[in-house]
Amino acid sequence: MKNRVVIASDENVDYCFFTPIVSLMWNRRGYIPLVIIVGTPEYWLTQPRLRLVIECTRETGAEVYWTGNIDCVRSSTVAQCSRIFSSFICGLSAADLVIITDVDMLPLGPWVGGGREQKKMLHIWYANAYQGSSYLHFPMCYVGAKVETWQDIVGCVSGQWREGLVDCLIGAPKDFDGAWNYDELWLGRKIAAWSGYPSRTQEIPRT
């Protein structure tokens, strides 16, 4: 079993700048970073600033994957939602732990990734962030589970993570406010329909 963390970014400098920094920090905590990049290597590697991001990220030991070009959807929405499908990337073991986080979240606190109850299958940190909300959703920093549990929750075909992402994005709002937490809304619906919620879910509050 390997511990993995997934982050994603488009070419927005406010976010992609953090990619190698956050990857390195997670690597030093014993996690293999899975980095999903919105776009294609043909584009990123011909742009000096973006190429530097990729080169430095790979130096941290991160595995880099590409969404390809997805039209008619905000690139930030593509990045956010792509993380949900990371457990369907070929080569991951069913027993691997995969934690979703944000590319601009530095894992500094001792609680990050810790405190997991072994009998629980899904672990949601800062689960009390949206108390009183009219619909079920959780912060994407942090949500963790083994690959086999992620696959059960999300329900995509193994190896077809890009196809699953495209299907997910069909319903994505085009406006900024509606699109910003679409990933939380989409995943929240999947968690609510999953047989392990709430009995096999560990909701870890942040105090």
Side-chain angles (χ1 to χ4, degrees):
M1 185 194 85
K2 297 179 180 178
N3 291 333
R4 302 177 182 271
V5 63
V6 57
I7 59 177
S9 181
D10 59 9
E11 62 179 287
N12 184 334
V13 68
D14 291 336
Y15 293 98
C16 71
F17 165 81
F18 287 101
T19 305
I21 299 171
V22 173
S23 294
L24 178 61
M25 295 181 72
W26 277 103
N27 178 279
R28 291 186 173 179
R29 293 185 73 122
Y31 288 77
I32 300 171
L34 300 178
V35 177
I36 301 178
I37 299 295
V38 177
T40 65
E42 290 78 13
Y43 174 73
W44 277 68
L45 298 180
T46 57
Q47 308 297 314
R49 174 176 58 83
L50 300 179
R51 184 179 69 247
L52 180 62
V53 168
I54 299 302
E55 290 175 348
C56 291
T57 297
R58 284 176 169 159
E59 288 177 2
T60 70
E63 300 173 7
V64 178
Y65 300 90
W66 309 86
T67 66
N69 295 320
I70 300 177
D71 299 326
C72 303
V73 183
R74 301 178 68 92
S75 61
S76 57
T77 306
V78 177
Q80 290 170 326
C81 291
S82 69
R83 299 171 296 176
I84 298 171
F85 297 88
S86 58
S87 289
F88 295 91
I89 293 173
C90 289
L92 274 63
S93 169
D96 287 354
L97 173 70
V98 175
I99 294 179
I100 291 177
T101 186
D102 292 336
V103 72
D104 58 345
M105 288 287 289
L106 277 61
L108 298 174
W111 63 277
V112 177
R116 297 191 305 273
E117 295 181 14
Q118 296 304 312
K119 293 183 179 180
K120 300 295 185 178
M121 300 173 67
L122 176 67
H123 314 277
I124 305 172
W125 288 266
Y126 202 6
N128 58 337
Y130 300 128
Q131 287 183 335
S133 175
S134 59
Y135 61 95
L136 185 70
H137 63 133
F138 302 99
M140 299 296 278
C141 52
Y142 308 85
V143 185
K146 291 183 177 180
V147 165
E148 58 187 357
T149 300
W150 275 118
Q151 293 182 348
D152 189 30
I153 293 171
V154 177
C156 180
V157 177
S158 182
Q160 297 185 7
W161 68 275
R162 293 182 185 86
E163 291 82 354
L165 171 60
V166 171
D167 288 343
C168 163
L169 292 170
I170 290 175
K174 303 298 189 295
D175 64 292
F176 178 84
D177 290 336
W180 190 247
N181 70 342
Y182 176 71
D183 56 338
E184 296 178 350
L185 173 62
W186 195 92
L187 181 58
R189 289 172 177 168
K190 288 291 185 177
I191 292 174
W194 176 53
S195 62
Y197 183 80
S199 61
R200 302 300 301 276
T201 302
Q202 180 187 12
E203 298 186 30
I204 305 169
R206 184 174 177 181
T207 57

